[in-house]
Amino acid sequence: EWNGPAYDQLTKQLVVGSVDWCAVFKSDEVEFKPGQMFFAGSYELDEAKSGWVKAFDPDSGAVRWQYHADAPVAAGVTPTAGGVTFTGDMNGNFLAFESASGKELLKRKTEGALAGGVITYALGGTQYVAFTSGNMSSRLSFGENGKPTLLIYALAERR
């Protein structure tokens, strides 16, 4: 349902965003109601939910670095040839990491949840990163999460 992992050719690692949200599910007789979550039983969702961004060695599965996010990470993960990895969380935080170490380079609050892809491109010698923020992922799970917005940042030259 959400975006998959990304392979970073520069660091030779697999980078994954994930949802950390616990619940108790019980088999039960329930009535199906269109537009509502249906699990053929009852459930109690834990109020606490967060997410992770983890980089793994693809051969051994060893964790190279990890970042505990404020909210589930359902957004795409985009590593770049410049050594920066981009993603975001459902609290609307756009995140940038140093790909090799996982060091947080940027955490910028947007007006809504991040759950779509993150792209980067160059135009006229300037590199840009673009992503959507707002209500675009699993409204049944995460609720209304901001007005859909396209954000585009121009990146400063890294020295």
Side-chain angles (χ1 to χ4, degrees), residues 71-140:
V73 177
V77 177
T78 304
T80 68
V84 178
T85 297
F86 299 107
T87 191
D89 70 24
M90 294 300 289
N91 273 358
N93 296 305
F94 175 65
L95 304 164
F97 303 99
E98 185 177 80
S99 297
S101 68
K103 175 184 173 190
E104 182 184 296
L105 300 174
L106 175 76
K107 181 177 179 181
R108 172 88 33 97
K109 185 76 170 165
T110 69
E111 296 296 318
L114 277 73
V118 179
I119 63 168
T120 182
Y121 60 95
L123 183 65
T126 301
Q127 185 176 1
Y128 297 89
V129 61
F131 57 94
T132 56
S133 169
N135 192 19
M136 79 295 285
S137 174
S138 293
R139 285 174 234 155
L140 293 174

Side-chain angles (χ1 to χ4, degrees), residues 2 24 29 60 109 111 116 137:
W2 298 303
V24 174
E29 292 290 325
S60 70
K109 185 76 170 165
E111 296 296 318
S137 174

